[in-house]
Amino acid sequence: MTPVIGAHHEFHDEEFVAGWADRFVPTPERLKLFNLILSELRSGIPKDGSVVELGIGPGYLAEHLLNAMPGIHYYGIDFSSPMIEIARQRLKPHSTRLNFVQADLVKEAWWTGISAPISAIISTWALHDLGSQENVEIVCKSCAQALKDDGLFLNGDFIKPDQAIYEYEPGRFEIAKHLELLNRAGFKHAECLVVLEEEIEAPTSAQNYACFKGVI
Ligand SMILES: C[S@@+](CC[C@H](N)C(=O)[O-])C[C@H]1O[C@@H](n2cnc3c(N)ncnc32)[C@H](O)[C@@H]1O
């Protein structure tokens, strides 16, 4: 049987979530993605800007950015209580610059709980879990609406490579489609900055991801 590249998650289950956080301690490749996001934020937003992370998970990216950017205020969105709890513990040293919003990215108006003008909305390895292009488009539109003028959107997420020889879960789709969704959502500029861990012949569910940038 042809494999479908993707993964099944139980993000509301405490044991599953603890296992996920242990398994996915950032690797050097993933740190390349984190550092790319860091350099885009350093050059693209004010030093004291507000950054929103969609699907903050265990807080690995948040920790990286809060350590490197001492002036930013951070908002972590996630619908999973156990993920938020793990992130809260990890990010304790930054608690004065951090708020969590527990919300479903597709079904709830998560941005209404954030009163500060939003300089950047970022995400890694999360939006494919929304399960469909339609849901990713809903979230892109929310981001376009929530960001202030010239605000940045940076999404490092799994893709379906153009040369794919397997089926991929519906939340993983081609680079051109990602860019189309950003354009349709109202971003005046959309580009793919990098593709990481490209693997066509024998891909795992943790390979083939790209970083997309949108400017509103
Ligand atoms: C694969 S994990 C990635 C976590 C983190 N961004 C990282 O790169 O380590 C996906 C995260 O997105 C969250 N998530 C998935 N679907 C969501 C939804 N509909 N609304 C809010 N959060 C969601 C999950 O709870 C989980 O924390």
Side-chain angles (χ1 to χ4, degrees), residues 4 8 16 31 42 66 68 83 87 92 96 106 111 114 135 137 150-151 154 156 161 169 171 183 191 193 196-197 212:
V4 176
H8 177 73
F16 175 89
L31 286 171
R42 278 194 169 133
L66 282 159
M83 279 295 192
K92 245 186 193 156
T96 55
V106 178
W111 63 95
I114 301 169
N135 284 345
E137 184 165 13
D150 292 324
L154 296 162
E169 64 181 344
N183 286 321
E191 69 179 303
L193 299 175
L196 290 160
E197 298 202 55
F212 299 96

Side-chain angles (χ1 to χ4, degrees), residues 138-160:
I138 288 171
V139 171
C140 290
K141 284 186 174 154
S142 304
C143 292
Q145 185 181 334
L147 278 165
K148 70 188 185 72
D149 281 351
D150 292 324
L152 268 188
F153 175 75
L154 296 162
N155 177 27
D157 202 13
F158 295 110
I159 55 160
K160 177 179 180 182

Side-chain angles (χ1 to χ4, degrees), residues 11 20 30 55 57 78-80 83 103-105 124-125 129-130:
F11 287 128
W20 194 94
R30 196 139 149 256
D78 210 292
F79 67 174
S80 158
M83 279 295 192
D104 187 307
L105 292 167
T124 63
W125 285 16
D129 281 327
L130 304 178

Side-chain angles (χ1 to χ4, degrees), residues 53 55-68 72 74-77 83-100:
E53 183 179 351
I56 187 171
Y60 294 128
L61 174 65
E63 184 176 40
H64 196 75
L65 298 176
L66 282 159
N67 281 335
I72 57 171
Y74 210 89
Y75 296 85
I77 321 285
M83 279 295 192
I84 288 181
E85 211 29 62
I86 290 178
R88 200 189 296 284
Q89 292 306 320
R90 181 180 320 287
L91 301 173
K92 245 186 193 156
H94 303 290
S95 59
T96 55
R97 296 191 287 135
L98 173 66
N99 293 87
F100 289 99

